[in-house]
């Protein structure tokens, strides 16, 4: 009997470890024992009563309260030993019948085991030993282990015996805000309880022994293969559980007193090398939790040799030892993680661990390695891993305070290298990360001004000093120099002490980040432009799945977002390439000139406008080519293939927000948009109408389109007649046309579209002073969103229908031809029906007859069969008679 | 057992034979059932089984998806039949009173030789008969040879019978069984054989004096006739001497009963419901009620039993004329509706139409109580029946849709609510799908059931929007159709999208609102670039599929179908607005795209078609532009725009409408070809 640890504490199926280790509670599970006894021990039953089925609430990873939730979770697990069903549902989320079956067996087995264990508790309680790295078996302090197990046992008993005093005490203890209680006090309370438990246990022992005898008897009686099998499973389970307990204990001790127990880290690391994958994973996860908790808020610098030689106090030596151990084991751990990341079975866990660490302690040593791995996994084909890495990086970018922005720079640089290395064929998520970057725009401007002021003042001061104080005494000068010197020193000291980084440094870092980002963006754009030359020969499936230019979308979005930060030097080149990308090729069949989709082209136009607006407002460069592009893209747009929201966005940026438009261009757009809305769905139509209205209001001359003025041609300039298929808005001659479309649009089925159209037609509608307010509220994008099918369906589904008042209760046919219908009835010939009835009768009668005849046949044949029987009987009788006769004779 | 036992025995004597027979057939189901105390309940149950079985058998014959269909029908019918039976048994005593009435007992045995129709069965009967004769002879010989054997046989006979019957009636108590046998045997002696003279006499009497006792006798005989075959005739009081008598009884009662009852109740021939309700309380009504009930119930049983189409139609037409009487018997009405809906959904053309007419009659005459139920039942049956598409099913589906629309159009006040709820349900499914975009959710939309439902309501709206305010229904259905079209991009779903366009065109045409559909058609114009596969594919009919199989995508036929359908749909759209002032603008973008498409197209036949379409549209466009040029009003003048070319609109000798007609003609002939 090697061990009888309280197995029933962890009646978990193997399956548990395979599920994603995402939720807080699952993490908590791995750390079960670590925190359990630290908290006041809780009467599990009361918890169960409070909250039987739910998972503990999610908490933020940094939150120390984690321990409390973990504790609760473990407690529930403990108690739910009574109900295997709950455990399964808690841990795996599913109750497959096979699982339950196995568990039934295991549970029975465990019960027996428990009885056995109770028998020799004294000898077995110290079994929670662990082999040291050195190989020696080390007995843990007996008291501690005993107590630990007693706690579990007590819970079990407390539940079983329903001891009211204990229960009440437990819950009352819990009610006292445990978070505020000092640990030591809590430990005392726990200790006291343990003692009580032990007494209780002793009292109960005899009874259990009795039942044990009975059990042994029965057990020996029916030992068959089945049990052997179960035992085999069980022993594996047993080992697993024991290791888990050990893990928990070690982790607990570490958290309890990291300074003195720092060596335990090595032990934990050793566990991670287990052959059993599950245990190893548990070990990894436990270590993450431990590190997250004990890593200090500063970077550890190992003492130099010189420093080591110096004589230092005991405390310092201790601290040094602590720090160096921590650092070395952390390093070992990271190495292990990085190594395991290659292993497919550990990949997910390893990446998750690293993400947690990077998120929690980005300031600490070796973060570079962490960042490298996380960035590399941004392109993972596994959705879960990729999302995890993305989230980690986003939180890194948003919480720069944790690491002073250094990691951001590293990550951005790494990403840009990754993009370069993969020749722009990566998952779009990789660039989405950039969108959560924040740039402090004041940094760049505020500082130079200050400098200028200071320098001016200084100059004047110096000048004055030079002019006035030159003849002053040496002593004064010396004094002055001393003062400035000390001030400088002081400043330097202050700077070194204060944690806020220098503005200059931050600015430098920011500009480096920016240049990396834009470098990446430009690389992608350049790649897209000459993609026809270098189609990747990668036979990688992922690149095929991703489409032709996977990164272009997020790249353009990013450019749009950070367009105000682009350096003026790049502007020209950027605009040129955007123009090319947008498909400015002269021919109207744009699709052949390059392979970009309509949405992407529209995005290019949007970005170009954003960039120009943000930077070159003063220059007022006309983006004529982009207008031409948009004008033609309106024909290329297909509602099922292209993104309508991008189109609406383009309308908004280019036409709706645009400051002033050339009269011809505006008219051309008005006409084309009106025509466009006659062919496309209502969201697009409304977005177009909003834009038209805006254009008409801004350009008074375009309002002529609303009037059927035969002399309108006077404005049209070169082109007298409207040409709807012109590819250049300037040459369309739209001013000569009339907006007849609006009259048809006012019959549109969608009430918003029809009302928008008719409001434009009415004379008041176009009065600028009145509609200004309405106009400013609705943008094309908003209009588009309002009318998307989803929104409309949602609105429609929630409405109630009140029927119309018009009633017509006619008995006329609506669809069918009444004559035809009535003919049907007259078709039926009564004679025929009569005949059919006769046939029907005949059929039924024949059936009947058949039935009867069959019965009779059966009867007769049975009678004939009976004859045989009869003859046999006769024979027997005759024989009997003969026998009799013979006897008589 | 007491009272119940007596009653049960009486019931058993009538029904048990059939139950036993059924049990033999479906032994596996009922074998291990313990003998229950409540005989009546059991009988009801087994009876329901028998009729359920009957229905199942029937539906196997008639329905396409019998398995799925019978599933939902089973329990409904089961319960109902039990109900009906129980009610019937209570009534029995009243109807069964045999008052003294002339009865001619001279039995004329008829020997009909004309068994051409059911030769197979008769043949087998004859064979069996011959065998029996042979065996009998053998037995006789044996008996003659060994006289003692007859004694032995006698001694064993009871044994033999018993053991045999025990096999059959597993769950019957022995005592009960013996009782039943004895009574039934006793009964056999009492059975009256009805011959034609008796029937003629009774008929004459009934016509002469309806109040007389002959009516009850005749109705009893009618009931027996309806039960004939359904029950074993041992249980019946009457036996029919020949087929003529049988059909005579049925024909006479079916055709005359309605008039007789009207006469008895003293109402006009038209039998309006109001008069029935008025006469509800009179003593006459009390007298007639049991007869009426017996008659109607027998009719329903006959309806349930007979499979021949013409008989069914005849019965239905008779039931239709006396539909007003059903108002007094809700349970019978419910049963009737169920049978009708079943026949309507599964029956062949004229039968389905007939049963629908009866349903409509119910909806009209028994409006207040049964309209709702009619609406729901027909719609449910339609949904259940519209899951799959069969090539020959098109007409049937159309008929079902039409009849539902007819039914729903009777009273829009009530039906609009139902339609709106149904549409909302469809919208909910759609919005759920748009949110999740999961594959199995998409399947919920992309099936015939969903499409048939929405097209049904489109039909309903199209029919009624002119006279009613159905704006809400209209906008919701447009929304749903748009949503469906957006949900399934790609060339493969072109048939589904074209169907959507068709529906939108219909809605637009009937309601006069403008619904842009051109964009639904554009996307295929971009795709057709390199059709290389000109292999002979049989056909590719868009009306019978929702999703084109992959191997057809590159085929020539598919392209042809695309082009023709697109042109047809667009011309339908254009022809609606061909006289609208903004026709030139409406056709601008489609024209530009079609011209580009035309340039790329390399098949000469298709090019010609496309060219013709472009020319026609352009011609109309120029015509409108010419007319427009001389106008003086502005787009703001909506009244003037409405009157624009109103004159021309009324006449239909415009070239474009001619073109559209020819297009339609083409497509019809194309469908006929396939």
């Amino acid at each position: 009997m090697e061990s009888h640890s309280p197995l029933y504490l962890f009646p978990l199926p193997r399956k548990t470890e395979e599920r994603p280790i995402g939720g807080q509670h699952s993490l908590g599970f791995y750390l079960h024992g670590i925190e359990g006894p630290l908290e006041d021990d809780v009467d599990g039953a009361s918890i169960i009563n409070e909250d039987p089925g739910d998972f503990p609430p999610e908490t933020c990873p940094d939150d120390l309260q984690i321990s409390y939730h973990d504790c609760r979770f473990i407690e529930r697990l403990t108690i739910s030993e009574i109900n295997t069903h709950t455990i399964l549902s808690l841990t795996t989320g599913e109750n497959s019948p096979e699982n339950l079956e196995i568990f039934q067996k295991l549970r029975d087995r465990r019960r027996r085991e428990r009885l056995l264990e109770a028998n020799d508790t004294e000898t077995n309680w110290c079994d929670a030993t662990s082999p040291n790295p050195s190989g020696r078996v080390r007995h843990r302090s007996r008291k501690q282990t005993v107590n630990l197990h007693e706690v579990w046992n007590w819970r079990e008993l407390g539940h079983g015996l329903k001891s009211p005093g204990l229960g009440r005490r437990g819950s009352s203890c819990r009610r006292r805000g445990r978070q505020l209680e000092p640990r030591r006090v809590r430990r005392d309370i726990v200790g006291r309880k343990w003692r009580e438990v032990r007494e209780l246990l002793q009292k109960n022992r005899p009874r259990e022994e009795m039942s044990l005898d009975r059990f042994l008897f029965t057990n020996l009686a029916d030992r068959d293969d089945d049990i052997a099998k179960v035992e085999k499973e069980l022993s594996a389970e047993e080992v697993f559980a024991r290791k888990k307990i050990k893990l928990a204990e070690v982790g607990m001790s570490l958290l309890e007193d990291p300074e003195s127990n720092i060596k335990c880290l090595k032990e934990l690391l050793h566990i991670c090398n287990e052959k059993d994958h599950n245990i190893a994973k548990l070990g990894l996860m436990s270590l993450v939790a431990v590190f997250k908790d004990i890593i200090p808020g500063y970077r550890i610098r190992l003492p130099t040799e010189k420093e080591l030689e110096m004589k230092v106090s005991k405390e310092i030596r201790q601290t040094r030892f602590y720090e160096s151990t921590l650092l070395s084991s952390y390093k070992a751990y990271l190495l292990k993680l990085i190594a395991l990341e290659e292993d497919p079975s550990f990949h997910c866990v390893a990446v998750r661990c690293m993400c947690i660490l990077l998120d929690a302690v980005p300031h600490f040593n070796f973060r570079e390695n962490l960042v490298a791995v996380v960035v590399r996994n941004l392109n993972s084909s596994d959705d879960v891993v990729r999302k995890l890495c993305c989230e980690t990086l986003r939180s890194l970018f948003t919480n720069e305070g944790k690491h002073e922005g250094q990691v951001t720079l590293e990550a951005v640089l790494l990403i840009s290298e990754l993009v370069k290395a993969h020749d722009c064929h990566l998952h779009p998520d990789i660039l989405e990360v950039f969108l959560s970057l924040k740039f402090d725009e004041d940094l760049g401007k505020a500082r130079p001004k200050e400098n200028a002021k200071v320098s001016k003042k200084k100059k004047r001061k110096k000048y004055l000093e030079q002019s006035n104080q030159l003849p002053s005494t040496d002593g004064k000068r010396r004094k002055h120099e001393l003062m400035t010197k000390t001030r400088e020193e002081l400043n330097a000291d202050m700077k070194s002490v204060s944690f806020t980084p220098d503005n200059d440094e931050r600015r430098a870092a920011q500009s480096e980040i920016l240049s990396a980002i834009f470098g990446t963006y430009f690389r992608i754009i350049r790649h897209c432009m000459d993609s026809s030359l270098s189609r990747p020969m990668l036979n990688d499936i992922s690149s095929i799945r991703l489409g032709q230019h996977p990164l272009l979308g997020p790249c353009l979005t990013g450019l749009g977002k950070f367009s105000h930060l682009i350096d003026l030097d790049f502007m020209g080149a950027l605009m040129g390439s955007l123009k090319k990308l947008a498909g400015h090729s002269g021919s109207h069949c744009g699709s052949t000139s390059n392979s970009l989709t309509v949405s992407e082209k529209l995005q290019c136009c949007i970005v170009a406008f954003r960039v120009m607006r943000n930077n070159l407002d003063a220059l007022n460069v006309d983006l004529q080519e982009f207008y031409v592009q948009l004008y033609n893209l309106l024909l290329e747009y297909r509602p099922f293939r292209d993104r309508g929201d991008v189109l609406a966005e383009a309308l908004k940026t280019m036409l709706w927000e645009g400051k002033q438009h050339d009269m011809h261009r505006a008219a051309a757009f008005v006409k084309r948009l009106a025509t466009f809305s006659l062919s496309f769905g209502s969201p697009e139509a409304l977005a177009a109408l909003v834009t038209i209205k805006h254009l008409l209001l801004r350009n008074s001359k375009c309002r002529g389109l609303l009037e059927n003025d035969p002399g309108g041609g006077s404005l049209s300039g070169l082109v007298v007649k409207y040409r709807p298929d012109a590819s250049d808005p300037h040459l369309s001659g739209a001013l000569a046309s009339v907006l007849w479309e609006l009259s048809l649009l006012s019959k549109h089925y969608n009430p918003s579209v029809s009302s928008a159209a008719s409001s434009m037609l009415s004379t008041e509608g176009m009065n600028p002073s009145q509609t200004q307010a309405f106009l400013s509220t609705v943008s094309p994008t908003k209009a588009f969103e309002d009318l998307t099918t989803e929104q409309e369906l949602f609105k429609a589904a929630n409405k109630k229908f009140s029927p119309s008042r018009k009633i017509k209760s006619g008995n006329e046919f609506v669809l069918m031809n009444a004559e035809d219908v009535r003919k049907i009835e007259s078709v039926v010939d009564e004679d025929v029906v009569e005949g059919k009835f006769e046939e029907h009768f005949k059929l039924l009668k024949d059936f009947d007859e058949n039935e009867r005849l069959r019965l009779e046949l059966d009867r007769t044949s049975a009678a004939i069969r009976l004859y045989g029987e009869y003859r046999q009987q006769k024979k027997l009788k005759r024989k009997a008679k003969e026998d009799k006769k013979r006897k008589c004779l | 057992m007491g009272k119940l036992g007596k009653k049960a025995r009486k019931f058993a004597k009538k029904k048990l034979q059939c139950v036993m027979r059924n049990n033999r057939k479906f032994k596996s189901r009922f074998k291990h059932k313990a003998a229950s105390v409540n005989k009546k309940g059991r009988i009801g149950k087994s009876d329901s089984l028998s009729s359920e079985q009957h229905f199942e058998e029937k539906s196997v014959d008639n329905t396409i998806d019998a398995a799925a269909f019978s599933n939902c029908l089973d329990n409904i019918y089961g319960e109902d039949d039990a109900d009906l039976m129980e009610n019937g048994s209570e009534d029995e005593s009243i109807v069964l009173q045999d008052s003294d009435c002339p009865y001619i007992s001279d039995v004329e045995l008829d020997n009909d030789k004309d068994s051409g129709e059911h030769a197979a069965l008769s043949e087998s009967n004859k064979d069996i008969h011959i065998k029996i004769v042979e065996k009998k002879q053998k037995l006789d010989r044996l008996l003659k040879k060994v006289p003692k054997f007859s004694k032995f046989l006698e001694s064993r006979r009871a044994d033999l019978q018993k053991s045999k019957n025990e096999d059959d009636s597993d769950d019957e108590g022995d005592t009960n069984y013996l009782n039943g046998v004895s009574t039934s045997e006793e009964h056999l002696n009492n059975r009256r054989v009805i011959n034609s003279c008796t029937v003629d006499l009774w008929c004459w009497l009934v016509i002469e004096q309806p109040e007389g006792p002959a009516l009850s006798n005749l109705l009893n005989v009618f009931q027996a006739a309806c039960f004939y075959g359904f029950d074993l005739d041992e249980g019946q009081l009457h036996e029919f001497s020949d087929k003529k008598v049988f059909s005579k009884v049925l024909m006479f009662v079916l055709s005359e009963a309605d008039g007789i009852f009207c006469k008895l109740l003293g109402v006009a021939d038209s039998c309006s419901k109001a008069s029935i309700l008025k006469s509800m309380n009179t003593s006459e009504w009390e007298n007639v009620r049991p007869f009426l009930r017996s008659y109607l119930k027998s009719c329903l049983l006959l309806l349930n039993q007979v499979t021949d189409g013409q008989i069914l139609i005849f019965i239905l037409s008779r039931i239709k004329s006396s539909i007003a009487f059903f108002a007094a018997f809700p349970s019978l009405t419910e049963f009737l509706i169920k049978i009708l809906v079943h026949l309507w959904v599964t029956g062949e053309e004229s039968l389905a139409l007939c049963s629908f007419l009866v349903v409509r009659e119910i909806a009209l005459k028994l409006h207040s109580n049964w309209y709702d139920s009619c609406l729901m039942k027909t719609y449910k049956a339609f949904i259940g029946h519209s899951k799959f598409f069969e090539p020959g099913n098109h007409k049937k589906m159309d008929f079902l849709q039409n009849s539902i629309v007819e039914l729903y159009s009777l009273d829009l006040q009530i039906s609009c609510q139902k339609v709106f709820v149904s549409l909302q349900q469809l919208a909910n499914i759609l919005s759920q799908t748009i949110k999740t975009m999961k594959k199995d959710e998409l399947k919920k939309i992309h099936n015939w059931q969903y499409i048939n439902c929405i097209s049904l309501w489109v039909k309903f709206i199209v029919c009624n929007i002119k006279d009613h305010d159905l704006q809400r229904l209209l906008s919701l259905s447009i929304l749903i159709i748009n949503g469906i079209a957006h949900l399934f991009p790609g060339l493969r779903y072109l048939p589904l999208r074209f169907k959507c366009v068709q529906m939108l065109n219909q809605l637009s045409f009937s309601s006069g609102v403008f619904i842009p559909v051109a964009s639904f058609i554009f996307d295929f114009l971009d795709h057709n670039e390199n059709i290389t596969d000109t292999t002979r594919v049989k056909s590719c009919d868009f009306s019978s599929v929702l999703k084109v199989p992959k191997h057809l995508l590159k085929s020539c036929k598919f392209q042809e179908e695309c082009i023709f359908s697109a042109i047809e749909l667009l011309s339908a759209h254009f022809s609606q607005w061909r006289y609208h002032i903004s026709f030139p603008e409406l056709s601008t973008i489609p024209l530009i795209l079609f011209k580009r498409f035309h340039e790329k197209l390399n098949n000469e036949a298709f090019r010609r078609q496309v060219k013709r379409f472009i020319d026609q549209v352009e011609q109309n466009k120029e015509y409108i532009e010419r007319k427009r040029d001389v106008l003086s009003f502005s787009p703001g003048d909506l009244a003037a725009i409405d009157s624009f070319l109103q004159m021309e609109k009324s006449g239909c000798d415009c070239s474009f409408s001619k073109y559209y007609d020819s297009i339609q003609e083409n497509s019809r002939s194309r469908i006929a070809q396939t």
Side-chain angles (χ1 to χ4, degrees), chain A residues 240 243-244 247 271 274 276-284:
Chain A
F240 184 59
K243 278 176 183 159
K244 268 198 289 193
L247 207 61
I271 292 178
E274 284 280 347
D276 186 349
H277 283 196
N278 291 329
I279 284 288
K281 279 176 187 170
L282 287 185
L284 292 175

Side-chain angles (χ1 to χ4, degrees), chain A residues 21 27 30-31 247 268-274 276-292 332-341 343 345-354 356-357:
Chain A
I21 322 162
L27 175 59
Y30 303 108
L31 303 173
L247 207 61
L268 279 179
L269 270 173
H270 190 79
I271 292 178
C272 295
N273 288 329
E274 284 280 347
D276 186 349
H277 283 196
N278 291 329
I279 284 288
K281 279 176 187 170
L282 287 185
L284 292 175
M285 292 309 284
S286 307
L287 269 172
V288 164
V290 170
F291 277 126
K292 221 169 102 178
Y333 177 59
L334 286 188
L335 283 175
K336 173 98 195 148
L337 279 182
I338 289 168
L340 283 179
E341 193 226 329
D343 188 341
S345 59
F346 279 101
H347 179 76
C348 194
V349 177
V351 173
R352 186 181 295 275
C353 287
M354 284 188 272
I356 293 171
L357 283 180

Side-chain angles (χ1 to χ4, degrees), chain A residues 190-253:
Chain A
V190 175
R192 206 163 55 232
K193 255 191 259 166
W194 285 341
R195 245 166 281 135
E196 281 173 32
V197 173
R198 209 182 314 168
E199 282 161 22
L200 244 173
L201 211 66
Q202 244 128 33
K203 268 188 221 160
N204 280 306
R205 194 160 302 141
R207 209 177 57 195
E208 286 179 28
E209 274 171 345
M210 266 168 61
S211 59
L212 175 76
D213 287 340
R214 215 167 44 230
F215 155 72
L216 278 176
F217 181 72
T218 50
N219 194 24
L220 284 168
D222 60 312
R223 181 176 293 272
D224 55 55
D225 289 350
D226 231 25
I227 286 185
K229 211 185 271 175
V230 172
E231 254 177 14
K232 205 173 177 186
E233 271 173 40
L234 210 75
S235 63
E237 188 85 0
E238 212 172 274
V239 171
F240 184 59
R242 225 180 322 132
K243 278 176 183 159
K244 268 198 289 193
I245 291 171
K246 193 173 67 189
L247 207 61
E249 279 165 11
V250 176
M252 181 190 73
S253 65

Side-chain angles (χ1 to χ4, degrees), chain A residues 588 635-636 638-641 671 675-676 678-681 705-708 724-725 738-741 743-749 761 789-790 792-793 796-816 821 824-825 828 830 832-834 836-851 853-864 866-867 869-870 873-874, chain B residues 21 112 118 121-122 124-125 128-129 131-132 135-136 139 142 146 148-149 152-153 156 228 232-233 242-244 246-247 250-251 254 308 310-311 313-314 320 350 353 357 360 364 402-403 405-406 409-410 413 416-417 420 424 427-428 430 434 463 467-469 472 476 478-479 482-483 485-486 489 497 513-514 516 519-520 522-523 526 577 580-582 585-586 588-590 593 596 628 631 633-636 641-642:
Chain A
H588 54 249
L635 290 183
E636 302 289 332
R638 302 282 175 272
F640 309 112
R641 187 189 60 195
K671 186 68 184 167
T675 315
F676 171 83
L678 276 182
S679 292
F680 291 86
L705 289 175
L706 290 172
E707 305 295 324
N708 183 14
D725 51 350
V738 183
L739 274 181
W740 294 111
E741 290 95 335
S743 64
L744 189 51
L745 280 175
S746 64
K747 289 188 174 186
H748 201 278
Y749 73 90
L761 284 174
T789 322
E790 234 172 300
E792 289 274 287
L793 277 175
N798 292 329
K799 274 183 192 165
K800 284 263 153 45
F801 181 65
S802 52
S804 59
R805 285 283 97 194
K806 286 191 218 167
I807 307 166
K808 179 195 114 183
S809 59
N811 25 13
E812 283 311 302
F813 287 97
V814 205
L815 263 181
M816 297 178 178
V821 168
I824 284 286
E825 282 169 51
V828 179
E830 299 206 1
V832 175
V833 173
E834 209 169 334
K836 294 256 180 183
F837 270 134
E838 282 172 15
E839 274 167 29
H840 181 64
F841 176 73
K842 183 103 183 49
L843 188 70
L844 290 176
K845 200 161 186 184
D846 280 348
F847 266 125
D848 215 27
E849 184 78 20
N850 194 288
E851 188 93 4
L853 284 175
R854 270 173 204 277
L855 207 74
E856 208 170 323
L857 184 66
D858 283 355
R859 222 176 268 163
T860 329
S861 40
I864 292 172
L866 266 183
Y867 179 69
E869 207 176 305
Y870 165 75
Q873 241 175 28
K874 232 179 170 182
Chain B
R21 201 173 51 195
D112 48 329
H118 312 290
L121 204 63
S122 307
S124 86
N125 278 356
I128 293 172
H129 197 76
K131 269 185 206 159
I132 287 175
K135 296 238 167 161
K136 275 247 165 86
L139 194 66
L142 280 173
V146 192
K148 273 185 185 171
F149 175 57
F152 175 76
L153 203 62
R156 295 294 297 270
Y228 188 75
L232 269 190
D233 47 358
D242 69 51
K243 58 178 186 173
K244 288 258 160 49
F246 181 79
S247 71
L250 287 179
M251 284 306 287
L254 280 174
D308 183 80
Q310 268 181 310
I311 299 179
I313 291 174
F314 179 70
K320 189 185 158 199
S350 52
L353 181 58
L357 285 178
R360 191 171 173 275
L364 272 176
N402 284 350
S403 38
V405 170
E406 290 288 351
S409 308
L410 285 178
Q413 195 74 18
C416 271
Q417 288 281 6
F420 191 69
Q424 262 182 337
N428 273 332
L430 185 65
I434 290 177
C463 279
D467 307 317
H468 301 271
D469 176 27
R472 298 283 306 283
L476 187 55
I478 294 175
L479 208 58
N482 268 326
H486 273 270
R497 275 211 301 287
V513 297
F514 172 69
S519 62
F520 294 92
F522 291 162
D523 57 343
D526 298 334
W577 304 106
H580 196 270
I581 198 158
S582 55
E585 279 81 12
L586 178 66
T588 300
I589 294 182
L593 295 177
R596 276 187 213 166
R628 212 163 61 172
L631 292 180
F633 54 81
S634 297
I641 286 171
D642 278 343

